[in-house]
Structures are given as structure tokens and as C-alpha cells.
Amino acid sequence: MIKRALVRLMLLVVLSVVAVTVIVLRSGDPDFAYQSPQPVVNDVTQLNPIAVGRVVAPESLDDIVAALISSTGKVSGGGGRFSQGGQTAFPDSLHLDMRRFNRILELDVEQKRITVQSGAIWRDIQEYIDPYDLSVSIMQTYANFTVGGSLSVNAHGRYIGEGPLVHSVESIKLILADGRVIIASPQQNRQLFYGAIGGYGGLGVIAEATLRLADNTRVKRHTTPMAIEDYYSHFLSEVRGNPDVVFHNADIYPPDYSQVRDVSWYRSSDSLTNEERLTPRDKEYWLLPKLAQLVAAFDWGKGMRQHIIDPLLYRKDSVVWRNREASYDVAELEPASREKYSYVLREYFIPVARFDEFVPKMRDIFRRHKVNVLNVSIRHAYADPDTALSWAREEVFAFVVYYRQGTSRQARQAVGKWSREMIDAAIESGGAYYLPYQVYADGRQFRRAYPNADAFFTLKDQFDPGNRFINTLWAAHYPKNRKANSEVKAELDQYYRAEEQTFLTVPEWYLVFNPQEYADFLESGNNPSDFPFMASIDEYWTQYDRVRAIAANYYPENEQYLTVLRVIGISTTLEYAYKSLYENTLGRATRWLANGEDTPEDKIIQQAQRAYSKLIFDKAWYEFEFW
């Protein structure tokens, strides 16, 4: 008997699971496509969608001035959108999309100097100057960035004997919040020059820049693998003081972080192994993204890269033009999708002499948190003593961390935890962290890493007294914004609940009001079997699909809360499906036998439904006296 009962129970469970699965799959609005009423600005990681108020795409200096003086609210600006933490946008702001403001204004071949509008990308400059055998002096590794964006973050690259981008800038043209156009250089308006470069758009709009150029020469690649303990002395003896080294980086191999490969490019007169002057714009990249996916997915993929892929890649000599090596395209690493995972950067600057102190700290943090690091690239930069927000107050190594992370809120919280530990480790080693990435540092960390921030904020108070220029970085760290945020937090109870939960609670609220709707239906004398149980199920899942789609436009996926909604949705589906089955079979029969009148059981159900509909507004469902 017990065995038969168990078999029947299991059969009932299986049938219930099948029925619920079919009902859920046939319910809802999975094809709902939400169209935001506001323009949404995102960055390359697709992790930071921000709904701005209006987008203006200026094509002239006058367009920028007109946009500023004809408006009064907050202003944000962006170009290539390769910053990865919302540094290019702010909610409801006037957003200046600078990509059409991209003319090359003047080239002085003899003086090796070029003046460009800030929306020009470095690749455009390279194409313009390459016929004159000229090359960019300093830029980041990839050529897709805009000049204005690179100046705003004071970018750096693999150049030896150089340093931050500011070292190659002769002057800039800056537009202030009131529309004034200021020329700034190391000799003229010096404070604005060193505040705006590396100032993340906080002081004004960098409109034009005059840059120092270099000669385009042939370069030959040399690679040297070694234990990471040997790298510091190797760098000092072989790379740092060598006048023939043009590019240098060293790749640290995860997950052990014990081996490193020096990849340096030396001036050379050898015959070219590749005749291309620049990396082709229309080049197809299919292999590298797949290899990156392999490396990210498995530890053995990381080992394969270290022991098989890289040795094969570097086995042959490579002699190319400097401009070709400086014209990489970000498309070579772009994954097929960033829906569930994204590939992201973080960066830390460590005084050269403290390299061996920092590496074990970094290794320990990455291992403890199981960070999915694809590569750590070591770069070098000479000191930048002048910019207000200098990340190289002395000669430093840059540790550029390229890693994969999930896109959910929980995954971001995990990244925030190890990121803050890495920032503390960098600060303890006398260094800093880079600001163009996801904003996880607290105010204490920001101040310790950027001790001259007050000088920058004094400039902002003076030249942007209305605090118009803003983005997520300055919303977090500019004192006036921090004070306002603190006041708002103090006034709001439970402020720290994730914002997307406001949207995601809609299906829950439906389950609060639906019992009231059922109670009203019963008390009005309606036949219980006429209540739309199946339509109620469909309405719940429709609400679920729609709010999930809406929240996805602005927020990371909150997997924990979505799981809650799925659990209560499935339980509600099961409950309503059985109610519908009962009411449309036995319920109709008992109603017919009672001549359409309420039975004592019907009245009990009415009373219970009313009591539950009242309780659920103020208390949790499990506090109801079901028995």
C-alpha cells in the first residue's frame, strides 16, 4: 500500500511538473521589446547603460558652444566610449557625442606637429600622417579611441622612454560651461591644461589638441620568456635604458602568475616581414576572439596559450612599420556576445622599485577570489608630476588586467570586492589605480590614490561653479555630489536596495492585488469557476517578462531576485492551475447541485480569501493562518 501511494505521489509530481512547464512556456510575453523613451548611452563592455536626457552630435566648435549656452542642466560627453564605468554619461544629462567632431585641422610636417578636433580617432590621424613617414608619439595600444577620450583619461601605451599622453600634448582648446573657449598649454592657462588632461570631462569640453609627432620607423619584435622574479632586473638591464626599444610590454600568464614574457619592438633596418603600412581597417577577426573565449573558459586553455599558442605566435621574426604596430583594432578581441559575460579591464600603477612587492599581493587576491584573468600586461611610464589627477607621480609599472566577468549584479558585486582589495594592495605599495573603469573605489581609496584631487576640485569650483560637467565618476567622488548623495541616502529608508528591484517587484505586487480581485469576485456572487485563473497565470508571467526586459535596458541582471520571482511564479502557476482544474470540474458540479448558491465551503473560501487579501498588503504570505 505504501509503495502504491508513493508511486501515485511521484506520478502526481511528474504530471504537475509537466503541466506547470507547459503552462509557463505558453504564458507571458517573451517577445516583448522595450523601447526606451530616452536615448541610452553605453560603453564597450555593455555593462553601463545610462538613459541621458538628450544627445547632441556637434560638428563644429560653434555647435558645442551653442549646446552649452542654450541649456542649463547637467552635461556629459563621450567619444569612442571605451571607458568602462559610465565615465561618458550621466542620467538625464545633455550628452555631447563627439564622434562627428573629427576633422584634422593642420599638419606641420617639418615641426612634426598636428592639430585635430577631439572627436578624431587615432586611426584617422595615422592614415593622415603615414604618407609623410610620421607617427603618433604616445597613444594607447588600440587606435579606435578618440583623441578627446584619450586626453580625458591621460592614456598611455607601450612606448618606452615616454609616459602618459600629456607628455606629447603641446596645447588644447577647452570649452567651459558658460561657452568660453580657452587655449591651454604648459605655458598658458597652465592649471587648466594639467587639470583638463586626465580630468575625465570634469572641467569642460576638450575641443582641439595639438600633438607632437615622431618618425615612422621599422621595428623588429624580440620576445623573452622568464620567471616573474627575473623580470624586474631584466627590464632595468635590457629595456629601460635602451634607446632602440620603441614598444614594450610583458605578459604575465594566469592562473599561476609565475611566468612572464617580454614582448619588445626595437628600431631595425632589417627587411620587412609584412609590407602593410597600417593594420587593414576591414580585417576579419575570427581566430583571436575564439582563442580568448577558450582561454577564459578553461584553465587548460590558459596553459595552452602559455605553452603552445604564444610560442607558435612568436616563433618567427616580425619586422613591421611602427604605424602598423600602433594601429591595432579592438575588433580583434570583441566577443560574439556580451549578454552573459563581458571582457573588461582594470589597471594598477606601481612604483618601479616596488614591483616584486606588489606581484605576490596581486597573485594572492586573484587566486583567492578565483578571478577569471586572461592576461596581465606590464607597461612602463615615466613620472607625470604636473597633472592634477596624475596616476604616475613617480616612474611606474602599469599592470593592465584583462579579465572576464558575468553581467549579473551578483557578478559585479564579486568584481567590486576583489577590485577594492587590489586598490588597497596598490596603495600599500605606493601606487594608484586607473579611473576609466568600473567605479568601485570608496572615497578613502580615491583620496589616497589621488592625493592632489583637491587641487582639481578647486579648479572645478572655479571654472564649473554650477557643477554642470558630470558623469558616474564625478557623481561618486566630487565632494559636492557626494554630499548631495549622502543627504538623499539619509532621507530614504532601505536606500541600498538595488534600483532594478523597483521594476522587478511589479509581478510581486500583482500577486498582492490578485487575491483582492478574487475576493471581490467571489463576494459579488459570481460563480467561482468563472474566475480567470489561467489568464491570471498568463498575466503574472507577462508582467515578469516585461519588467525584466525594461530593467535590462538600464541595470545589471539581478539573478537572485529573478530566481525569487520564478519560484513564486511557479508556485502560483501550480496553485491556480489546480484551482482552475477543480473549479471547472468538481466545482461546477457542486455549484449545480446547490442550484447556483454558495455552499458552506464556498463561504469559507470567500472569508479566507478576504482575510488573505488584507494580510498580504502588510505581512509576508507565510504569516497567514492557512490551517
Side-chain angles (χ1 to χ4, degrees), residues 34 70 212 227 265 313 321 389 398 413 442 447 486 490 505 529:
Y34 175 72
S70 64
R212 173 174 53 83
W265 294 82
L313 177 67
W321 289 109
L389 296 173
Q413 290 170 343
D442 58 35
R447 290 287 183 164
S486 298
T505 53
S529 59

Side-chain angles (χ1 to χ4, degrees), residues 126-200:
Q126 290 170 335
E127 289 185 355
Y128 195 88
I129 65 178
D130 184 74
Y132 303 96
D133 282 327
L134 294 174
S135 185
V136 173
S137 291
I138 306 171
M139 58 175 281
Q140 65 289 321
T141 299
Y142 290 93
N144 310 76
F145 298 15
T146 61
V147 171
S150 298
L151 289 171
S152 293
V153 305
N154 197 14
H156 69 97
R158 297 171 292 149
Y159 299 88
I160 288 295
E162 297 289 355
L165 178 58
V166 67
H167 289 169
S168 69
V169 184
E170 294 193 357
S171 66
I172 60 172
K173 190 171 285 186
L174 186 70
I175 306 177
L176 302 180
D178 58 8
R180 282 184 293 161
V181 179
I182 303 294
I183 296 176
S185 70
Q187 297 78 35
Q188 181 181 3
N189 294 308
R190 177 184 173 87
Q191 285 186 308
L192 274 176
F193 179 81
Y194 287 116
I197 296 178
Y200 296 84

Side-chain angles (χ1 to χ4, degrees), residues 333-376:
L333 293 176
E334 184 61 25
S337 171
R338 291 183 183 265
E339 182 180 359
K340 294 297 182 182
Y341 296 97
S342 192
Y343 294 81
V344 195
L345 291 170
R346 301 203 73 78
E347 192 165 347
Y348 308 91
F349 303 102
I350 307 301
V352 166
R354 302 179 75 168
F355 176 89
D356 290 329
E357 173 188 335
F358 177 73
V359 167
K361 297 177 183 178
M362 177 188 72
R363 181 190 297 126
D364 174 66
I365 292 169
F366 287 161
R367 286 178 173 175
R368 280 192 292 105
H369 290 277
K370 297 180 173 61
V371 184
N372 192 353
V373 176
L374 280 72
N375 186 61
V376 181

Side-chain angles (χ1 to χ4, degrees), residues 46-277:
Q46 299 300 298
L47 292 173
N48 302 284
I50 297 175
V52 299
R54 182 165 63 101
V55 175
V56 172
E59 298 183 19
S60 69
L61 200 70
D62 289 341
D63 289 344
I64 302 172
V65 173
L68 293 174
I69 64 177
S70 64
S71 61
T72 57
K74 302 296 186 184
V75 179
S76 62
R81 301 175 184 175
F82 291 102
S83 291
Q84 300 180 1
Q87 289 84 353
T88 60
F90 190 74
D92 301 319
S93 64
L94 166 65
H95 178 76
L96 299 177
D97 183 344
M98 303 295 289
R99 288 174 290 186
R100 294 184 188 173
F101 187 69
N102 59 0
R103 291 173 53 213
I104 293 174
L105 302 174
E106 182 181 358
L107 172 63
D108 187 330
V109 176
E110 184 177 341
Q111 295 297 320
K112 300 180 184 177
R113 178 190 300 128
I114 192 168
T115 301
V116 300
Q117 292 178 331
S118 58
I121 64 171
W122 295 96
R123 172 58 188 243
D124 292 338
I125 296 175
Q126 290 170 335
E127 289 185 355
Y128 195 88
I129 65 178
D130 184 74
Y132 303 96
D133 282 327
L134 294 174
S135 185
V136 173
S137 291
I138 306 171
M139 58 175 281
Q140 65 289 321
T141 299
Y142 290 93
N144 310 76
F145 298 15
T146 61
V147 171
S150 298
L151 289 171
S152 293
V153 305
N154 197 14
H156 69 97
R158 297 171 292 149
Y159 299 88
I160 288 295
E162 297 289 355
L165 178 58
V166 67
H167 289 169
S168 69
V169 184
E170 294 193 357
S171 66
I172 60 172
K173 190 171 285 186
L174 186 70
I175 306 177
L176 302 180
D178 58 8
R180 282 184 293 161
V181 179
I182 303 294
I183 296 176
S185 70
Q187 297 78 35
Q188 181 181 3
N189 294 308
R190 177 184 173 87
Q191 285 186 308
L192 274 176
F193 179 81
Y194 287 116
I197 296 178
Y200 296 84
L203 299 182
V205 179
I206 297 176
E208 297 176 10
T210 299
L211 307 169
R212 173 174 53 83
L213 301 175
D215 293 322
N216 185 30
T217 61
R218 298 181 186 192
V219 291
K220 183 175 183 178
R221 185 181 64 204
H222 295 268
T223 72
T224 309
M226 68 195 76
I228 199 166
E229 292 83 3
D230 298 330
Y231 174 74
Y232 174 64
S233 59
H234 167 82
F235 176 80
L236 293 183
S237 63
E238 303 297 327
V239 179
R240 184 183 182 276
N242 191 330
D244 289 328
V245 180
V246 178
F247 302 105
H248 168 81
N249 70 280
D251 293 327
I252 304 177
Y253 291 106
D256 295 331
Y257 309 98
S258 61
Q259 299 293 313
V260 63
R261 181 185 291 271
D262 165 5
V263 182
S264 298
W265 294 82
Y266 293 73
R267 290 180 181 86
S268 175
S269 58
D270 291 357
S271 299
L272 294 167
T273 60
N274 188 325
E275 298 285 343
E276 293 171 343
R277 302 282 297 188

